[in-house]
Amino acid sequence: MAFPKHSARIRLHCYPKSSIIVLKSKMFKRFIFGLIFILCCDRSFGQSDDLTYHWKSVNGLKIFYRTAGNPQRPAIVLLHGFPSSSMMYQGLIELLKKDFYLVAPDYPAHGYSEVPPADYAFTFDHISNTVHALLDQLGIQHYSLFMQDYGSPVGFRLAVKYPERIDALIIQNGNAYMEGFPEAQNPNGELQQYWRDKNKKYESNWIDYYRKASLVPAEQRKLPLGVNPDRRTMDAEIMLKPGRLELFMQLWFDYGNNVKSYPQWHNYLKKYQPPVLITWGKDDTFFTVPGALAYLKDVPKAEIHLLNGGHWAATETNTTEIAELIRSFFKREVTSRDNGQLAGR
């Protein structure tokens, strides 16, 4: 291997000129070969924590995901809400990438993931199976779940099916109790009726509402200064694609099966007592504070933090606070419990 002549000397710019180190060509070659040997033998040496972006074929479906951090660190799988994508976790991932291995997928038909074919039943069961298959392909056998909104029914299905894989649950405005779901509490209410008979008028009104909301330009949304408009713009672009709102309506109809599954999720929590951290936007009018407090019925040791913000604001405007809470929680309740042996693989 030949080196250019100027590579026979290395200048260390942190020292004065008199400290310039000159290496003979042969010595320099030995130095380079030794460095290559170290890099090959130690996988963790030089491991980048940078956030990267990927697509992977999962049972023939192209699934997009973001990842950051060293796979040898504790893994956190971040499950997004509706109508969003893994983009909602971009800031949180940047803050946690030095301490964890983070994987945030886009569900089918969300974000950059592919729309599933007609024979793929668009339900929470199928979405959770797709996420599980992705994690298997990535070799992630043990992980914690960060669940927000739709992320809860996806995540709880994973936890119920594979309890041995779950290290902890981080829940941010992700409901699992009727106490926190005012719109669904009335058995004769519009939502419960829709879940029973798939009322077309309710469905049409829902689609019209989200179509109009998606057409509002970013500069007219009056978002708080700390909220990145990119996510809202991307959400709107996805929802306005032909047939996408009708597809999402299938998932909202299937949400009735989540409510029916609440007792199963409670049994999981009661039986396994996983470490639970709850970071809840207390001004959320859709999933309300009683839903956060209800977790204490089944996991009395759950740690609950009620944050200033609404359904989305806890992720959008309290990102730094949530990151600090997660790091502190893991040191006290997760990593120390397992003597630091948790790893993403």
Side-chain angles (χ1 to χ4, degrees):
M1 182 175 179
F3 291 89
K5 291 181 179 179
H6 68 266
S7 65
R9 78 173 55 208
I10 299 175
R11 176 169 294 180
L12 301 184
H13 292 273
C14 57
Y15 291 97
K17 280 187 176 181
S18 59
S19 298
I20 292 175
I21 299 175
V22 180
L23 299 176
K24 297 296 184 183
S25 181
K26 187 180 292 186
M27 184 184 292
F28 182 73
K29 288 180 183 179
R30 290 175 181 170
F31 170 77
I32 293 297
F33 291 144
L35 181 60
I36 292 172
F37 177 80
I38 293 172
L39 288 171
C40 291
C41 293
D42 185 357
R43 288 179 60 215
S44 65
F45 186 92
Q47 170 71 43
S48 173
D49 293 321
D50 290 347
L51 199 155
T52 55
Y53 309 89
H54 311 264
W55 280 265
K56 187 171 283 290
S57 179
V58 179
N59 297 325
L61 193 63
K62 284 185 180 178
I63 297 298
F64 174 83
Y65 65 98
R66 302 162 200 261
T67 184
N70 189 328
Q72 300 306 314
R73 300 188 186 118
I76 299 179
V77 178
L78 300 103
L79 301 173
H80 65 79
F82 172 83
S84 195
S85 68
S86 59
M87 181 185 282
M88 67 175 280
Y89 292 125
Q90 186 97 359
L92 190 61
I93 290 173
E94 289 288 357
L95 292 171
L96 293 175
K97 66 184 182 181
K98 297 293 183 184
D99 302 288
F100 301 95
Y101 178 47
L102 302 139
V103 177
D106 288 354
Y107 309 144
H110 294 72
Y112 293 116
S113 287
E114 190 176 23
V115 176
D119 60 353
Y120 181 104
F122 205 54
T123 64
F124 286 96
D125 275 343
H126 277 84
I127 288 175
S128 67
N129 290 339
T130 298
V131 171
H132 172 69
L134 172 66
L135 297 178
D136 260 4
Q137 285 195 38
L138 297 177
I140 302 174
Q141 299 298 315
H142 292 277
Y143 51 87
S144 298
L145 291 170
F146 188 110
M147 309 186 295
Q148 196 273 344
D149 188 64
Y150 273 20
S152 285
V154 174
F156 271 115
R157 280 171 169 78
L158 294 173
V160 168
K161 289 180 184 177
Y162 313 103
E164 72 284 355
R165 296 191 174 197
I166 305 301
D167 295 325
L169 301 179
I170 306 161
I171 302 166
Q172 188 239 295
N173 296 75
N175 199 53
Y177 296 86
M178 288 302 291
E179 291 94 321
F181 201 169
E183 190 179 355
Q185 288 172 0
N186 182 356
N188 298 313
E190 191 177 34
L191 182 55
Q192 287 280 10
Q193 286 182 17
Y194 172 68
W195 287 335
R196 283 196 297 269
D197 58 26
K198 205 169 187 180
N199 180 280
K200 291 296 180 183
K201 186 175 184 300
Y202 177 94
E203 191 167 288
S204 177
N205 289 341
W206 189 95
I207 291 174
D208 287 344
Y209 169 79
Y210 276 100
R211 180 170 286 116
K212 290 176 182 176
S214 299
L215 287 168
V216 178
E219 66 271 17
Q220 295 179 21
R221 290 178 182 272
K222 297 180 180 179
L223 299 174
L225 295 178
V227 175
N228 187 340
D230 293 350
R231 182 178 68 80
R232 298 296 178 88
T233 300
M234 181 180 180
D235 291 347
E237 180 184 344
I238 295 295
M239 296 180 80
L240 290 172
K241 289 184 176 181
R244 197 63 61 92
L245 280 168
E246 288 75 12
L247 186 62
F248 288 158
M249 201 68 224
Q250 294 180 30
L251 207 53
W252 184 228
F253 178 72
D254 186 56
Y255 204 95
N257 289 319
N258 297 333
V259 174
K260 293 176 184 177
S261 299
Y262 282 177
Q264 190 179 17
W265 303 353
H266 302 163
N267 289 337
Y268 158 77
L269 293 169
K270 206 174 293 184
K271 178 178 179 180
Y272 292 98
Q273 294 295 305
V276 174
L277 171 66
I278 298 174
T279 63
W280 202 278
K282 63 182 178 60
D283 299 323
D284 190 346
T285 58
F286 189 70
F287 289 154
T288 56
V289 168
L293 302 178
Y295 280 95
L296 293 173
K297 295 190 297 184
D298 297 310
V299 190
K301 293 183 179 180
E303 183 176 318
I304 300 177
H305 299 267
L306 302 179
L307 309 177
N308 292 324
H311 187 69
W312 297 102
T315 296
E316 294 174 335
T317 58
N318 294 75
T319 311
T320 301
E321 185 177 3
I322 291 174
E324 291 172 354
L325 289 170
I326 290 172
R327 277 192 290 266
S328 174
F329 174 76
F330 264 77
K331 286 177 182 177
R332 287 181 287 100
E333 303 294 339
V334 185
T335 309
S336 60
R337 183 194 63 175
D338 290 272
N339 297 317
Q341 297 302 309
L342 295 180
R345 297 180 181 271

